[in-house]
Amino acid sequence: METILEAERKIPVKGYWDVIVVGGGTAGAIAGIAAAREGMKTLIVESHGFLGGSATASLVTPLMSNHVDGKPLNTGIGLEVMERLSQSGDCGKLHHNLGIFNWEMLKFTLEELYLEAGGELLYHSHFSAPLMAEKSIQGIIVETKSGRLALKGKVIIDATGDGDVAFKAGAPVESGDEFGINQAMSLRFSVGNIDLEKFADFLEELEGYRQSLPFFHASHVNGNRQALTPYFEKAYQDGVLEETDGDYFQIFGVPGRPGELSFNCPRISSKTDATNVDHLTNAQIEGRQRIKRLLNFLRKYLPGFENSYLVTVAGMVGVRESRRVRGEYYLTEDDYIEARKFPDGIAKNRYPIDIHSTKKGGGVNFHSNLAPNEYQEIPYRALVPLEIDNLLVSGRCISASFVAESSIRIQQNCHALGQAAGVAAALSIKEGLTVRELDGVKVRQTLIERGANL
Ligand SMILES: Cc1cc2nc3c(=O)[nH]c(=O)nc-3n(C[C@H](O)[C@H](O)[C@H](O)COP(=O)(O)OP(=O)(O)OC[C@H]3O[C@@H](n4cnc5c(N)ncnc54)[C@H](O)[C@@H]3O)c2cc1C
């Protein structure tokens, strides 16, 4: 590719913070709340005009279950957020976890909790470069409507999902499986004005049990014979759907939004590198084309959808896996299989290995060997990137193999990882240590004091 040389220029320094969280998503919003509650002058920098990331911008609901003996494995701030949301009827129970939520109201709750904690926000600001002093990150540069701005911080938390900060700072990263192929993306959408009673009658006839809100669920995956499979096959024959439209199709109810269902599809399997702008552009275009066909299918073939309309398409394509930042500990599939625990364990996970294949009709590799009461732990060291100082990583881009990430990536774990990063950043500043020098056992103890189930 042809290159040009950018001219040198002066950039205004907008301010100084103790903790700067880059990306106010699933992990980042919680990291911000945690750091601000520890008394840190905290800033969240976010590309969108709201918090929540995948949970709000990509419409990812519900929280997948992560519990043992009927008790949630991830408590702390993540649970508090869901409890606050349930007060307005915008969050319901899925199995033993409070977890089916109204994404629009989640934006309000996260922002309220963060501002109540004293945190500061910079929306519509895109991280573009780290400010480095050799191997130490001193702040970041963001692109905004006000131009390019420098923001200085003592500890930076990379919660971009894609490890943008760590990568540009020079930390080692990896992405994809052994062939470099990432998991499939999905462009989620929601449909309103559905006659849910009629749709529930239809499903009851097919499945023999009655669906009701909040956990309203239906699915079809090519290659598996499910209740909806004959309807998909008919639509393929009729030319209403392309066969790949049924590679993964899933519906969930949404509390607080009567007559509306949320769709965990269509799946985008052709170009899946979320750090490639051409792939991201393709995902939105291909996704919308598929959604148009799926809408037609819903209205023609599924009772209850006759008068439905498209409510929203996610502004941010859902990314299951991209860069993973190599850290002081590298989580592997064996850690999951062996249900390993660590003295510096900062989150508990028993969600299965869950890999969305990019192959045609490839379905999902979804399995777990864990005994009903077993879980693994995620050590603090998986949040500490190799080589770069003053930087923590949180969310799905922590130090984990492709397979390990497919299990730990669910939102409740990201909440716990966010809280751990926020608390660790504060502890390191209070103790005058780098995040690498900080004792992870102390992070664990502090998290327990703050309500984490560890
Ligand atoms: C299609 C799909 C379905 C899923 N289904 C479920 C499910 O049912 N249940 C479940 O629990 N989990 C599910 N997951 C997994 C889970 O939602 C994600 O793994 C998790 O939300 C990721 O959290 P995160 O904090 O790492 O990233 P995100 O929540 O994506 O947050 C990243 C944030 O960083 C911001 N950002 C990125 N780059 C920059 C930049 N350069 N500058 C400024 N800001 C930036 C983004 O705008 C975003 O707000 C699903 C994921 C996908 C994609």
Side-chain angles (χ1 to χ4, degrees):
M1 197 187 281
E2 188 189 354
T3 57
I4 57 153
L5 208 58
E6 201 178 356
E8 220 176 359
R9 52 183 157 156
K10 283 193 173 162
I11 299 172
V13 177
K14 185 168 168 59
Y16 293 78
W17 288 268
D18 294 319
V19 180
I20 299 177
V21 182
V22 188
T26 318
I30 306 292
I33 296 169
R37 283 186 181 173
E38 297 295 322
M40 296 293 107
K41 182 173 158 56
T42 304
L43 178 73
I44 294 181
V45 173
E46 169 55 46
S47 292
H48 289 97
F50 49 83
L51 297 175
S54 293
T56 54
S58 305
L59 314 181
V60 179
T61 178
L63 307 183
M64 281 292 114
S65 272
N66 195 29
H67 64 265
V68 155
D69 269 346
K71 295 193 189 81
L73 286 176
N74 312 116
T75 51
I77 297 173
L79 181 60
E80 186 186 335
V81 169
M82 292 301 146
E83 283 170 349
R84 173 89 67 111
L85 255 184
S86 6
Q87 285 166 14
S88 53
D90 290 302
C91 182
K93 250 190 166 180
L94 165 59
H95 307 312
H96 298 286
N97 291 269
L98 257 185
I100 308 189
F101 59 87
N102 177 347
W103 56 80
E104 206 52 44
M105 296 314 293
L106 178 62
K107 294 175 185 171
F108 290 78
T109 303
L110 288 173
E111 193 176 87
E112 282 161 15
L113 283 168
Y114 179 60
L115 295 178
E116 283 166 18
E120 296 169 52
L121 274 164
L122 208 55
Y123 283 140
H124 301 295
S125 301
H126 195 77
F127 160 83
S128 65
L131 293 169
M132 301 299 294
E134 297 184 357
K135 292 279 186 183
S136 172
I137 185 166
Q138 314 279 296
I140 58 168
I141 294 173
V142 289
E143 302 290 345
T144 76
K145 275 279 185 186
S146 317
R148 222 165 182 211
L149 301 171
L151 316 170
K152 296 211 169 176
K154 291 177 188 157
V155 175
I156 313 297
I157 298 176
D158 182 344
T160 58
D162 299 318
D164 284 4
V165 183
F167 173 66
K168 288 204 176 158
V173 297
E174 55 186 42
S175 179
D177 61 11
E178 67 267 43
F179 308 108
I181 307 287
N182 298 106
Q183 284 206 52
M185 305 183 198
S186 295
L187 187 65
R188 297 182 62 140
F189 65 104
S190 82
V191 172
N193 203 35
I194 302 160
D195 184 337
L196 276 185
E197 285 305 307
K198 193 170 175 185
F199 187 45
D201 289 343
F202 166 72
L203 289 176
E204 190 173 5
E205 197 131 306
L206 294 177
E207 297 171 330
Y209 64 93
R210 184 129 195 116
Q211 300 265 3
S212 62
L213 290 174
F215 188 53
F216 206 105
H217 178 260
S219 64
H220 162 81
V221 178
N222 282 344
N224 298 348
R225 288 233 55 95
Q226 290 167 277
L228 293 178
T229 302
Y231 298 85
F232 274 83
E233 287 173 347
K234 178 85 172 68
Y236 301 151
Q237 279 164 17
D238 297 346
V240 169
L241 288 179
E242 289 183 6
E243 216 166 299
T244 47
D245 294 333
D247 275 350
Y248 196 85
F249 172 89
Q250 192 174 31
I251 306 179
F252 289 109
V254 198
R257 299 170 81 100
E260 188 172 341
L261 291 173
S262 155
F263 290 74
N264 184 20
C265 50
R267 183 189 265 190
I268 316 292
S269 306
S270 51
K271 297 174 179 165
T272 57
D273 178 359
T275 61
N276 178 321
V277 68
D278 294 321
H279 287 211
L280 288 172
T281 304
N282 172 75
Q284 301 284 160
I285 296 170
E286 184 185 326
R288 259 191 289 275
Q289 290 166 350
R290 289 180 184 278
I291 288 169
K292 209 168 174 187
R293 288 196 293 271
L294 285 167
L295 273 176
N296 194 16
F297 163 74
L298 294 169
R299 291 183 185 130
K300 278 193 174 148
Y301 295 80
L302 301 190
F305 282 85
E306 294 83 352
N307 300 312
S308 63
Y309 60 87
L310 180 64
V311 176
T312 188
V313 173
M316 180 170 93
V317 63
V319 177
R320 293 186 171 84
E321 176 266 331
S322 60
R323 285 190 204 107
R324 307 182 307 274
V325 181
R326 287 298 288 245
E328 292 292 331
Y329 189 88
Y330 182 65
L331 271 177
T332 64
E333 187 178 0
D334 282 350
D335 291 320
Y336 182 84
I337 292 169
E338 306 285 335
R340 284 195 186 128
K341 316 288 186 295
F342 302 93
D344 62 341
I346 45 83
K348 289 177 175 174
N349 170 52
R350 66 163 277 113
Y351 183 70
I353 307 284
D354 180 10
I355 301 170
H356 282 246
S357 167
T358 52
K359 295 192 189 97
K360 185 167 178 262
V364 186
N365 176 356
F366 186 83
H367 65 274
S368 173
N369 67 305
L370 295 183
N373 295 338
E374 260 308 356
Y375 60 87
Q376 70 167 130
E377 285 186 339
I378 302 171
Y380 166 67
R381 286 160 292 155
L383 279 58
V384 182
L386 295 173
E387 295 182 23
I388 307 300
D389 285 333
N390 304 340
L391 181 64
L392 283 167
V393 174
S394 191
R396 66 174 162 81
C397 54
I398 64 163
S399 180
S401 70
F402 177 74
V403 175
E405 190 269 355
S406 77
S407 164
I408 57 104
R409 69 190 172 89
I410 57 159
Q411 289 181 45
Q412 298 199 66
N413 285 326
C414 289
H415 292 157
L417 294 171
Q419 185 164 358
V423 162
L427 276 180
S428 75
I429 292 168
K430 285 177 191 167
E431 297 195 3
L433 300 169
T434 67
V435 293
R436 198 181 320 284
E437 289 163 345
L438 183 66
D439 182 359
V441 177
K442 206 157 189 182
V443 180
R444 178 185 171 99
Q445 279 161 356
T446 310
L447 286 167
I448 293 169
E449 286 162 25
R450 305 289 183 268
N453 171 18
L454 291 168

